[in-house]
């Protein structure tokens, strides 16, 4: 009886979720169309240029195309709209595409002090 229970738990915790992920991946790969922005399993971002049987032609830069199999597509990248944050004045500031700068003054503390403490 404990062996059967172990097999059932193993099925629901490992096999079933893995099968679901495989089906979702296969569905995503079959729904690819030209113009879709994707990320490969190796981390390369590209746009689907055209489909040829089980292959995809990906445009990684303007005029630069490479051939990939559909299984190498990790996920479809959805475009992100610019985020806005209200500042103290009440007007929205665009956050995207702005460099991050640190405006806090540098503080060194006690490391340069010559005073001896007893």
């Amino acid at each position: 009886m404990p062996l059967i229970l172990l097999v059932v738990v193993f099925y629901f915790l490992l096999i079933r979720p893995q099968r679901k992920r495989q089906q979702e991946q296969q569905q995503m790969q079959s729904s690819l169309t030209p113009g879709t922005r994707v990320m490969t399993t190796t981390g390369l971002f590209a746009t689907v240029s055209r489909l040829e049987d089980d292959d995809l032609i990906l445009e990684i830069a303007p005029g630069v195309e490479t051939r990939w199999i559909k299984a190498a597509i990790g996920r479809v990248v959805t475009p992100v709209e610019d985020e806005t944050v209200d500042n103290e004045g009440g007007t929205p500031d665009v956050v995207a595409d702005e460099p991050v700068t640190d405006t806090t003054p540098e503080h060194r503390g006690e490391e340069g002090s010559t005073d001896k403490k007893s």
Side-chain angles (χ1 to χ4, degrees), residues 27-49:
Q27 181 182 8
M28 181 271 303
Q29 291 168 357
S30 65
S31 69
L32 293 173
T33 58
T36 306
R37 189 95 171 117
V38 296
M39 184 182 83
T40 65
T41 54
T42 59
L44 180 76
F45 288 90
T47 304
V48 177
S49 179

Side-chain angles (χ1 to χ4, degrees), residues 13-28:
L13 291 178
L14 296 175
I15 297 172
R16 192 166 176 231
Q18 179 64 26
R19 196 174 286 172
K20 184 179 178 183
R21 279 191 295 273
Q22 285 175 344
Q23 288 174 348
E24 289 172 352
Q25 187 78 5
Q26 191 173 23
Q27 181 182 8
M28 181 271 303

Side-chain angles (χ1 to χ4, degrees), residues 14-106:
L14 296 175
I15 297 172
R16 192 166 176 231
Q18 179 64 26
R19 196 174 286 172
K20 184 179 178 183
R21 279 191 295 273
Q22 285 175 344
Q23 288 174 348
E24 289 172 352
Q25 187 78 5
Q26 191 173 23
Q27 181 182 8
M28 181 271 303
Q29 291 168 357
S30 65
S31 69
L32 293 173
T33 58
T36 306
R37 189 95 171 117
V38 296
M39 184 182 83
T40 65
T41 54
T42 59
L44 180 76
F45 288 90
T47 304
V48 177
S49 179
R50 62 184 182 271
L51 303 167
E52 297 178 357
D53 298 324
D54 287 338
D55 294 346
L56 296 168
I57 306 301
L58 299 179
E59 185 175 32
I60 56 176
V64 180
E65 294 182 337
T66 58
R67 180 180 301 271
W68 295 73
I69 60 172
K70 286 184 179 180
I73 304 302
R75 66 183 173 101
V76 173
V77 179
T78 56
V80 178
E81 295 183 24
D82 291 342
E83 297 178 17
T84 59
V85 177
D86 288 335
N87 61 11
E88 295 170 0
T91 57
D93 288 339
V94 176
V95 175
D97 297 332
E98 290 183 8
V100 178
T101 56
D102 185 15
T103 59
T104 57
E106 187 175 327

